[in-house]
Every structure is written in C-alpha cells, then in structure tokens.
Amino acid sequence: MKKAKKEMDPEKMQSLLRNEKAVKGIAGEISRLAGKHGARIMHVCGSHEHTATRFGLRTLLPANVELIAGPGCPVCVCSSADIRDAIEVAKKGAILTTFGDMMRDRTQHGSLEDARATGADVRMVYSPLDAVQMAKDNARREVVFFGVGFETTAAPVASMVSDDLPANFSMLTSFKLTSPAVDALLASGKHHLDGIIAPGHVSTVVGAVDWARFPEKYGVPAVVAGFEPADLLLAILKILQQMKAGKPKVENEYTRLVRFEGNPHAQEAMRNAFDVKPAFWRGIGMIPDSGLFLKERWSDFDAKRKFEIQSSIDSEKDLPKGCHCDEVIVGELYPNECPLFGKTCTPASPYGPCMVSGEGTCYIWHRFGDPRELRKILAGRK
Ligand code: SF4
C-alpha cells in the first residue's frame, strides 16, 4: 500500500520560508538573473505588500528589479458612491453592518463612523454570518451587510446566499475581481509590467488558471505566490527565469494551498449568487467585467432595491483633493512620494483611502517602512 505523504508542520514550514540564508540565497539568484535589463514586477495584494515592506525585501533586490504594489486593497478601491449608499441605508433606520476597516473610509459624504456618531445604527462584524445572526436576533429590524472585498470575501458571502436567509436581511455589495483590474492596466498601454505576482489567497478561489490571460494576451509572466518572504522572492525569481527563457507562462509557487483550477465549489457559489458586470474602482475608474452584483433571482436580499437607493458615481478619480491614491494604486507613485504622507495623512487620521486599511499601501509603508529602505527604493527609480 502506498504511504500517505506526511505534511510538514506549518510552523516548521514558516521558519524555513523565513530563513535568512535561504532568503538571501534566492535574492542572490535574482541579482544574477536580473542582468542589465532588470524587471518591473507588480503584485496585487495588500498581504504581499505587507510581506515585502515588513521584511524589507526590497533592500535585497538589485536596483533594476522593481517590486510595485498594484490595486490589491479592496477598501482603497471601494467607491465613494458605495459608501454613500451604505450611509443612506443606515440613515433610513436599518442596522448597517460591515467590516471594521470600512467604518473609517472617508468620502465627501463623510464616513460610516461619522454616520454612527450622528445616531445611525452602524455595527462592526467579523463575518457576514454575524450579520445574518443579527437579523435573526432582531426580527423587527432590517439588517444590512455592507460587503467589500475581492474573491476571498465574495466567495463565503456567495455560499450563504439562499432562500434560507431571513427576510429582514439584505446586502449592499462592493465585491471586485482582481485579474480584470490588472488586465485593464495592461490593456491601457500606459503601464509597463514585466511580470505579475498573483495573490495566493484570491487564487485559492479562482485558481492559477485565472492568471493565464497575462502570458497569453500580453506575453507577461504570472506567478501565484504565498505570503512568506521566500514565497515572494521565489515568485520574482520565476518571473526572471521565464523572461530569460523567453517563454512567458503562468506558474504556481503556492502549491501548498492553491490548485491550478482553484476551488470549484467556491466558483459555483459565486456563479449562483452574482453576475459579473463592469465596476467602478476608486482612483482608477470603470473596469469591464470586474464587479460582482447580486443576481436578479436574489433581488429580495438586495438592499439597494429594498431601500430604493439610486446609485451614481461621484467623479472620475473619486479622491479627496491632493490625495495621490490614484497613482499609488496603480504603482506609479510610492506612498512617501505623496506630499501628504505622514503629515496630513497618517493611519490615525487617514486623508486618502490607501491609508485606512491594513491592506492599503500607504498604511503599510507608514506602519512598517524603514526610511533607509525607502531611500534605497527611491534611488533605484532615478
Ligand atoms: Fe492618499 Fe494619504 Fe496615500 Fe497621500 S499618503 S496617496 S493622501 S492615502
């Protein structure tokens, strides 16, 4: 009988993936392969930026290999219009529930935190199931879940959409799909990218296959990566290897969690709950096929219908005056190049959306950025 393969203890795995010698060894290979031309590589995940910044990985890269953060923070790209809708629903008397980060995301209409301060019943939840339970416990009140996120958040919400939901429960959704956003950046022709690091947790849902369009359409390598320092550096190394071989393809570095085809059950749940339509990304604009919207058959649970909310987009950039999140979100500006960084705009008092959430690039740089590292990065850009 074939012996079952023994899985490595997660803590041992983590210490290996953070091992300084191993990490520096991979960085040395990157320097060797980078050659004269180098590469401009984008990741699209707040957790990847967290790893890169917290561990100072950029200090290990040669100056001509640039790791930039793309649109990987759902709070940052949630439109003011969606937040305004949530405020309006709360002001109409519903219990409005949402994740903690969304309370402080500020717009020209104020924030959900402001709405709560003026008497609206806005409550923080850790899971959409908490909101469903709240509806069951408050049968005389309408309870609305304001869901904001990418595929990893949308999939569990999709899986609870059924006729069993309480009649006094409904949803406002601002769910977005990550790969169409990267596609839109490349299709615009304004952004040069040599490689894409695909987010590991999103890819557990959509699979590495979702990123195959980049080598196929644009000749740009795509590598799905995990969240330890060695994961991220290995992804960069794999991109450089593909560039050298002249054979762009999609690769999966995060095989310990991601299957090439993704999670078929989660994908089926999303197809059952949502239609894919164009969506507005704050700081970027409309992106085709990038939003998930409740299907007509679930319209009884659509808070916009229930509360007769007429939604409309606020402005092209949808950002406060002087905020450069539109450039930060697409990797054209590093956070500390914004004149407001660390002055008018801090995690304690965020001025723009990229400083609100732990997944926002400005927040991460403010929280973890080592000035010596930042100087080195800037020197590499000149
Ligand atoms: Fe926007 Fe603040 Fe970042 Fe500047 S530092 S881009 S104002 S979030």
Side-chain angles (χ1 to χ4, degrees):
M1 208 167 85
K2 217 175 167 184
K3 265 192 180 172
K5 209 171 152 191
K6 205 176 161 205
E7 294 218 340
M8 189 184 279
D9 170 54
E11 278 187 25
K12 194 172 174 195
M13 169 81 84
Q14 188 180 62
S15 74
L16 275 177
L17 292 166
R18 291 184 181 185
N19 178 280
E20 191 177 337
K21 205 171 157 198
V23 165
K24 284 189 171 164
I26 303 167
E29 257 316 275
I30 289 172
S31 297
R32 197 180 64 75
L33 269 186
K36 271 194 281 188
H37 302 297
R40 192 164 192 267
I41 296 169
M42 177 180 273
H43 71 72
V44 275
C45 177
S47 302
H48 278 155
E49 185 54 35
H50 183 273
T51 301
T53 305
R54 181 178 163 211
F55 289 94
L57 296 186
R58 290 186 177 94
T59 60
L60 300 174
L61 298 177
N64 62 357
V65 173
E66 197 180 9
L67 177 63
I68 52 172
C73 160
V75 173
C76 308
V77 296
C78 178
S79 73
S80 296
D82 288 348
I83 297 169
R84 180 194 54 210
D85 294 348
I87 293 170
E88 205 177 323
V89 164
K91 286 187 173 169
K92 285 188 172 185
I95 301 174
L96 192 284
T97 64
T98 192
F99 298 134
D101 283 346
M102 286 312 300
M103 304 286 282
R104 298 194 317 143
D105 205 350
R106 187 158 294 284
T107 70
Q108 57 272 49
H109 318 286
S111 66
L112 284 166
E113 205 171 50
D114 297 337
R116 185 165 67 176
T118 54
D121 194 347
V122 181
R123 305 185 194 181
M124 197 180 90
V125 287
Y126 292 101
S127 150
L129 292 173
D130 296 343
V132 174
Q133 188 57 47
M134 211 177 280
K136 288 177 182 167
D137 296 341
N138 294 272
R140 290 166 181 236
R141 301 276 309 273
E142 283 293 329
V143 176
V144 178
F145 173 64
F146 178 34
V148 176
F150 294 142
E151 292 89 335
T152 23
T153 311
V157 171
S159 68
M160 71 179 204
V161 173
S162 77
D163 290 322
D164 295 337
L165 285 172
N168 63 329
F169 174 81
S170 57
M171 288 188 266
L172 274 174
T173 57
S174 184
F175 292 135
K176 293 185 168 65
L177 301 169
T178 36
S179 63
V182 183
D183 201 334
L185 296 187
L186 284 169
S188 74
K190 292 185 203 152
H191 307 275
H192 172 78
L193 299 176
D194 295 302
I196 294 152
I197 299 178
H201 35 38
V202 162
S203 302
T204 58
V205 176
V206 298
V209 64
D210 197 48
W211 303 90
R213 69 175 89 180
F214 298 104
E216 285 161 12
K217 271 173 82 173
Y218 304 102
V220 173
V223 178
V224 177
F227 301 97
E228 295 298 336
D231 286 320
L232 212 44
L233 291 178
L234 275 172
I236 294 171
L237 181 61
K238 283 175 183 292
I239 287 168
L240 293 174
Q241 286 168 339
Q242 288 189 37
M243 286 171 68
K244 186 160 187 234
K247 289 183 182 162
K249 58 182 176 181
V250 65
E251 275 190 87
N252 182 12
E253 183 278 333
Y254 200 29
T255 50
R256 57 193 193 278
L257 275 189
V258 172
R259 283 180 289 178
F260 191 77
E261 298 300 332
N263 181 332
H265 301 296
Q267 291 165 13
E268 179 53 35
M270 282 173 35
R271 276 193 295 274
N272 168 58
F274 302 121
D275 283 326
V276 176
K277 294 182 189 173
F280 185 85
W281 293 56
R282 197 173 190 186
I284 299 179
M286 288 303 284
I287 299 183
D289 299 333
S290 69
L292 295 171
F293 298 85
L294 266 184
K295 278 188 184 287
E296 182 64 30
R297 65 176 287 214
W298 305 116
S299 58
D300 286 353
F301 303 116
D302 184 343
K304 274 192 196 169
R305 289 261 184 114
K306 209 178 236 185
F307 292 87
E308 297 175 342
I309 304 287
Q310 297 296 331
S311 211
S312 63
I313 300 306
D314 282 330
S315 66
E316 198 193 334
K317 294 281 183 192
D318 193 16
L319 290 171
K321 201 166 176 238
C323 169
H324 288 267
C325 279
D326 52 331
E327 293 162 89
V328 171
I329 286 168
V330 297
E332 292 298 329
L333 196 83
Y334 287 121
N336 62 340
E337 293 174 313
C338 169
L340 306 184
F341 180 79
K343 298 180 186 108
T344 317
C345 188
T346 63
S349 179
Y351 181 71
C354 298
M355 192 62 94
V356 173
S357 152
E359 291 188 79
T361 309
C362 295
Y363 177 99
I364 295 167
W365 277 51
H366 195 276
R367 171 93 172 69
F368 295 110
D370 175 344
R372 283 163 301 165
E373 180 196 358
L374 307 189
R375 274 203 292 275
K376 177 166 177 174
I377 293 163
L378 292 174
R381 281 163 68 88
K382 280 173 187 152

